[in-house]
Amino acid sequence: MSVARESWGTRIGFIMAAAGSAVGLGNIWKFPYVAGENGGGAFLLIYIGCIVLFGLSIVMAELLVGRMAQRTPVAAFREVAGRGWSLVGGMGVVTAFIILSFYIVVGGWTIAYMLYTVDGALASTDSASLERVFTELTGGTWMPLVYAAVFMALVAGVVLGGVGKGIERAAKLLMPLLFVILLVLVARSVTLPGAGEGIAFYLTPDFSRVSGETFTAAIGQAFFSLSLGMGAMLTYGSYMPRDHNLPADATAVVVLDTLIAILAGFMVLPAMFAAGMEPGSGGAGTTFMVLPAVFDAMPGGPIFGFSFFLLLTVAALTSAVSLLETVVCYFVDEYGASRRGATAGSALVCFLIGIPASLSFGLMSDVKIFGRTFFNLLDFLSSSITLPLGGLLTALCVGWALGPRAIRAIGNDGRIAVPWAGVWLFVLRFVAPIGIGWILIQGLFF
């Protein structure tokens, strides 16, 4: 039995919440080092092209399915395209659950590092010392779980408030805070001695470094940075009033997400050049094992270090909220569960699954499933299989199963002019499936 459905109170509230869902750790820590590994300015241009071509199209598709049905992902696909398509929605809910189970572990690390900047544990430019701090944290048994539990509690607290009083209110507070912190850090980074070389690297395209791997990285980064294929955008779209200008709102979300990723590049790459470090050095460990050394070398380093890890925590929180809401929405809509019960139960089960994910770096590091630790298995299942597969099937559903109906619905049955709707449908039918299919093949076989 269904219950009365909530909706966004304001257009800006929806845009902030949806942008918060899209903006996550991938924007802040992953984008800069991927850009550094793939030629700086050349990668930036290709990435923006992929966002315009793939990202915006699928964001619109997911939001449209949600708004048309005003239901959870499972029911939404079933209602707009037929019973067989409900499996796509079910996969989205499961994917959101899987990702949240290991995402809270990383979110806990960001909280820990905020505290570390306060107590001086990161006051070092020695890479071996910083690596030791990171491995002691992640390899611990109890403290990482405590931080993960705190992070999970923050996420659940927001979702308990519901769409208007919880998610929308939090997004209106957290997203401006994220922007302010990011702009302050960018201003500090670009004014460091020697930062000019990093700015030039970031803005000057070097196409000699472009290869097939560059395009693969750009497509993958564009796709994953927008939280596609996990039911989050569809769920948020289901709370969207039918008279909203969906193309305009989707464009605003994508622009905000892309802007934050680009600003993150200005924050990280100039600082790394100023510190004499190679762009892209450290890989994913840049956040926890390289950047603390950069901050320590700055005047006022602890302040900027704390601000950076606060920024990461906010970005992780806004994304995690959308993941938990996707799961909670399913139980509330499909089974008539109370929001309180669905939130508490989902958060508890996610945390329990997060325990072996956290212990994968320490006590259970030798436990392998299909050759991967539990954490890496969850990451592989979501990022390499269910996310791209969900995005691919969403594109095919809207492009082919809905077809002309999608064009009418995106324009509110003619009330909004969308002159490029035909191009959008063409992208969903042909272009997006090719790009996403390539990501899927790369993730499975390379």
Side-chain angles (χ1 to χ4, degrees), residues 26-27 29-36 43-44 47 202 221 261-262 265:
N27 297 70
W29 67 263
K30 187 176 181 181
F31 177 82
Y33 88 75
V34 173
F43 176 83
L44 180 60
Y47 172 76
Y202 190 39
Q221 181 66 24
I262 292 172

Side-chain angles (χ1 to χ4, degrees), residues 63-223:
L63 291 175
L64 178 65
V65 172
R67 189 181 71 171
M68 287 177 69
Q70 303 279 293
R71 301 287 299 279
T72 179
V74 176
F77 275 103
R78 181 172 63 236
E79 185 171 313
V80 303
R83 183 170 296 276
W85 288 99
S86 64
L87 292 174
V88 182
M91 185 168 59
V93 174
V94 171
T95 300
F97 192 87
I98 291 173
I99 293 175
L100 184 59
S101 296
F102 67 87
Y103 202 78
I104 61 171
V105 176
V106 184
W109 297 346
T110 66
I111 294 175
Y113 264 62
M114 276 198 300
L115 301 178
Y116 286 175
T117 58
V118 174
D119 67 15
L122 302 179
S124 174
T125 57
D126 177 58
S127 58
S129 174
L130 292 172
E131 183 177 353
R132 186 166 55 253
V133 171
F134 182 65
T135 54
E136 286 179 356
L137 168 66
T138 58
T141 300
W142 297 109
M143 288 312 298
L145 292 176
V146 171
Y147 290 123
V150 171
F151 184 82
M152 185 79 262
L154 291 173
V155 174
V158 173
V159 174
L160 272 175
V163 175
K165 295 180 180 179
I167 300 171
E168 184 171 349
R169 181 178 294 176
K172 286 181 176 179
L173 170 66
L174 294 175
M175 288 304 291
L177 175 64
L178 185 150
F179 261 106
V180 169
I181 297 172
L182 183 56
L183 289 173
V184 169
L185 289 170
V186 167
R188 184 67 191 106
S189 179
V190 299
T191 54
L192 289 169
E197 188 179 352
I199 297 172
F201 170 81
Y202 190 39
L203 296 181
T204 305
D206 180 4
F207 291 104
S208 67
R209 298 183 60 177
V210 173
S211 65
E213 293 181 359
T214 307
F215 284 91
T216 299
I219 294 171
Q221 181 66 24
F223 186 79

Side-chain angles (χ1 to χ4, degrees), residues 312-339:
L312 276 184
T313 303
V314 170
L317 182 60
T318 55
S319 290
V321 163
S322 69
L323 293 170
L324 182 58
E325 177 61 24
T326 299
V327 179
V328 169
C329 173
Y330 172 74
F331 288 108
V332 171
D333 274 10
E334 294 294 298
Y335 299 102
S338 68
R339 173 167 287 271

